Amino acid sequence: MADKTKATGMLAELKDGPYPSFVKEIEAAAEKNEMAQDLIGLLELSYNEKLCHWKHGGIVGVMGYGGGVIGRYVDVPEEFPNVSHFHTLRVNQPAAWFYKTEALRKICDIWEERGSAIMNIHGSTGDIILLGTTTAQLEPVFSELTKLGFDLGGSGSVLRTPSCCVGPARCEWAMFDTLKFAYEHTMKYQDELHRPYFPYKFKFKFSGCPNDCVASIARADMSFIGTWRDDILVNQDKVLWYANEKKLDIQEIVVDRCPTKCMEWDGKELHIDNRNCSRCMHCINVLHLALKPGKDRGCTILIGSKAPILEGAQLSSVLVPFMRMEPPYAEDEATAEDLPELIDNIWELWGEEGKNRERVGEFIQRIGMGNFLDAIGLEPAAEMVSHPRTNPYVFYELGEEDEEEEDE
Amino acid sequence: MADMVSVDEVAEAMFKLIKDAAGQKQYKAMDLQKAMIELFPDRVDKKLCKESIKKLINSGRCIYTYFGGSYIELPHVEGAANPDE
């Protein structure tokens, strides 16, 4: 009889090479776990037949929650009874993924006892993904996780688990406290996290600076990216040190690579036209001992990015060019925006008018950014324009004042 | 604004909609809210509808399902499910 703990054929080939292999991990789990054994068999069957044998289930969950569990069944349960049910649980992660080792050990213990002993840290969603358990084990797993202080999140037409970069905990570039902000939003929107009320999923992601380590500009329906408003702080002596001591070609590596060409280098001093700087951080990343972001710090709020599921991938567009991210967050004198109200207005409009399974970015594309801004009560700003219009055939309606001027 | 309808009344009306449409149409939370606003003009709001849905779900009379989007349905065994061992 074949050894059910070892992969063979094409699946075994995935153990070769210098990289960590998921097959090796499943084999290790299969030493003790029958679900992992059948998972190897099922994967081998899929590789040989070039067919997926998973069925997506949509009903299983835990009491009261509309998210956190993704049902999975196989279409060959007689052959692989131990993965007949193989549901996924998504566990809400703490801000910036900081854990005590003891907490992770306890999660592993729960999953070894009640699941397949295979997990995904972290899934592209940001959550801990516990892969494979039966319907009967869902409530017990949920109960044990909540006793540890963890919660489920991250599936369904809900606010998906907010995630953030390491922020000020580990990074000098953080323009706002991303961890605190992610935690506060997770706690504030508990209902929206667990009880589906939207046309489709909605994600917040918080990046402390324009380097955007959580890729919020590409993955979040509402992206918060740290930035600054005043001038870049320049230490000219250090710039010279980079040029003379480190032999860094400032013209080629820094100035020529500036996307807005807002810098000049005369061999002695670096001049920055801050008005034309787009805060991309390239120069600061390269000359990090000489340049620092300004002191008037906050974040840019963008909207509408998504990965390709129903339609193509989209990047976020600027919604609020600058907002200070200091308590109480609600009212910002400089921009007069109220963040909770802005979020509510967006959800209200998209909830009312959005089509089934239409992400907010697709919704904006359908109705037009102008109409969207008008409906949520936000004034257009120059920073929202990504590039000048290329179509010369522009038609616009004259306002009353314009018409009067024309008559004169 | 006229007197508001009670959470129980709205929950009952939602349940009837879901029950009558079972197997034919799936309702999302927002569909139910729109239907209630039409049924009880000026007597329900978003908050009341949310409370009513919460009551239906917490009582176990309805469940959330997820087939691409999230829906609110009567509890049932789904077609994809394999029988428990």
Side-chain angles (χ1 to χ4, degrees):
Chain A
M1 196 177 166
D3 183 357
K4 287 176 118 184
T5 65
K6 297 288 175 215
T8 56
M10 283 187 274
L11 199 57
E13 283 182 32
L14 294 174
K15 292 190 289 183
D16 296 339
Y19 307 108
S21 162
F22 74 96
V23 180
K24 278 184 194 166
E25 295 298 313
I26 299 176
E27 282 185 343
E31 298 281 336
K32 293 182 191 168
N33 191 295
E34 289 181 336
M35 287 185 109
Q37 290 171 14
D38 273 7
L39 182 62
I40 292 174
L42 184 79
L43 282 177
E44 279 184 352
L45 184 68
S46 285
Y47 274 66
N48 291 332
E49 294 181 346
K50 295 181 181 160
L51 275 177
C52 175
H53 287 284
W54 295 115
K55 295 189 286 182
H56 190 291
I59 285 185
V60 286
V62 295
M63 186 71 172
Y65 276 36
V69 180
I70 301 141
R72 285 277 183 280
Y73 303 96
V74 297
D75 61 1
V76 281
E78 306 80 16
E79 231 174 304
F80 302 103
N82 295 312
V83 287
S84 168
H85 299 199
F86 203 76
H87 310 315
T88 299
L89 278 99
R90 286 187 177 158
V91 183
N92 197 351
Q93 81 280 12
W97 305 289
F98 285 108
Y99 301 93
K100 276 177 77 179
T101 49
E102 185 192 2
L104 286 177
R105 250 180 239 121
K106 284 182 177 168
I107 293 176
C108 293
D109 288 345
I110 294 171
W111 204 236
E112 278 185 11
E113 188 191 335
R114 300 193 178 276
S116 68
I118 298 163
M119 58 206 287
N120 195 207
I121 291 189
H122 288 86
S124 54
T125 51
D127 320 81
I128 297 177
I129 313 281
L130 302 180
L131 292 160
T133 194
T134 60
T135 306
Q137 291 290 357
L138 291 174
E139 287 289 352
V141 172
F142 178 51
S143 163
E144 289 184 23
L145 285 171
T146 48
K147 275 182 206 158
L148 283 180
F150 285 92
D151 190 14
L152 296 186
S155 72
S157 299
V158 290
L159 171 63
R160 299 286 180 98
T161 330
S163 64
C164 66
C165 68
V166 291
R170 302 268 298 163
C171 179
E172 64 184 302
W173 300 137
M175 310 288 163
F176 69 101
D177 192 340
T178 50
L179 296 96
K180 190 174 176 214
F181 210 69
Y183 177 75
E184 281 180 357
H185 275 65
T186 303
M187 300 315 281
K188 181 177 168 68
Y189 295 115
Q190 281 289 302
D191 227 30
E192 286 78 4
L193 272 164
H194 298 125
R195 297 179 181 276
Y197 220 81
F198 301 146
Y200 205 17
K201 62 184 95 167
F202 192 92
K203 300 173 183 179
F204 286 137
K205 294 197 189 297
F206 308 99
S207 279
C209 79
N211 284 326
D212 196 7
C213 288
V214 288
S216 71
I217 200 165
R219 307 194 302 144
D221 295 273
M222 203 164 185
S223 324
F224 295 77
I225 302 177
T227 189
W228 66 95
R229 264 199 305 200
D230 51 349
D231 295 350
I232 294 174
L233 306 175
V234 188
N235 180 336
Q236 297 291 357
D237 292 340
K238 283 284 181 193
V239 177
L240 267 179
W241 177 79
Y242 271 108
N244 298 333
E245 303 294 321
K246 302 291 276 184
K247 306 294 179 203
L248 187 85
D249 188 338
I250 290 179
Q251 182 64 42
E252 190 192 329
I253 307 293
V254 180
V255 176
D256 291 349
R257 293 184 189 178
C258 171
T260 56
K261 307 291 175 212
C262 73
M263 319 186 112
E264 277 179 18
W265 168 243
D266 58 11
K268 290 176 187 165
E269 280 199 350
L270 184 68
H271 302 281
I272 304 174
D273 173 10
N274 281 280
R275 217 170 144 260
N276 283 312
C277 167
S278 62
R279 274 72 175 160
C280 76
M281 291 267 296
H282 169 69
C283 57
I284 298 175
N285 289 333
V286 179
L287 305 173
H288 59 276
L289 296 175
L291 306 182
K292 297 264 183 259
K295 289 180 177 170
D296 187 8
R297 296 174 174 191
C299 90
T300 299
I301 303 173
L302 304 96
I303 192 153
S305 68
K306 58 177 279 292
I309 295 184
L310 297 187
E311 290 182 28
Q314 275 177 224
L315 292 178
S316 288
S317 309
V318 172
L319 192 66
V320 178
F322 184 86
M323 184 180 276
R324 280 208 185 84
M325 306 303 268
E326 290 159 359
Y329 302 120
E331 203 59 46
D332 183 279
E333 284 175 19
T335 56
E337 301 301 347
D338 183 320
L339 183 56
E341 195 183 310
L342 179 67
I343 293 170
D344 280 350
N345 289 348
I346 292 167
W347 284 348
E348 188 82 37
L349 175 68
W350 173 53
E352 285 273 339
E353 308 293 338
K355 290 181 184 175
N356 191 21
R357 298 191 77 191
E358 183 177 50
R359 296 283 286 271
V360 74
E362 293 163 349
F363 171 68
I364 294 169
Q365 216 168 37
R366 177 163 63 84
I367 68 165
M369 187 54 122
N371 293 329
F372 177 75
L373 293 175
D374 200 31
I376 62 169
L378 205 61
E379 285 295 314
E383 291 90 340
M384 295 174 184
V385 180
S386 57
H387 58 82
R389 192 188 284 271
T390 50
N391 181 351
Y393 297 99
V394 181
F395 302 98
Y396 59 93
E397 290 172 15
L398 293 175
E400 276 179 21
E401 285 178 15
D402 298 323
E403 279 173 359
E404 280 168 18
E405 277 175 24
E406 282 218 334
D407 290 341
E408 285 167 14
Chain B
M1 198 177 191
D3 285 345
M4 299 296 273
V5 194
S6 71
V7 170
D8 286 339
E9 267 181 280
V10 177
E12 275 312 315
M14 284 179 172
F15 184 74
K16 188 173 181 311
L17 265 184
I18 295 165
K19 195 177 160 199
D20 292 348
Q24 294 163 35
K25 178 178 164 53
Q26 291 168 304
Y27 281 100
K28 296 177 83 82
M30 192 53 76
D31 299 333
L32 292 173
Q33 181 180 306
K34 284 179 183 170
M36 292 303 108
I37 288 170
E38 208 177 303
L39 189 64
F40 304 108
D42 293 333
R43 295 175 65 207
V44 290
D45 58 15
K46 189 180 166 186
K47 198 178 160 210
L48 188 60
C49 289
K50 275 189 163 183
E51 283 299 314
S52 307
I53 291 171
K54 203 172 191 174
K55 189 166 179 115
L56 283 177
I57 298 290
N58 288 354
S59 66
R61 294 176 78 195
C62 290
I63 54 165
Y64 288 115
T65 60
Y66 183 61
F67 296 98
S70 294
Y71 301 93
I72 297 167
E73 297 183 57
L74 299 180
H76 63 280
V77 177
E78 66 184 305
N82 298 319
D84 281 315
E85 306 88 48

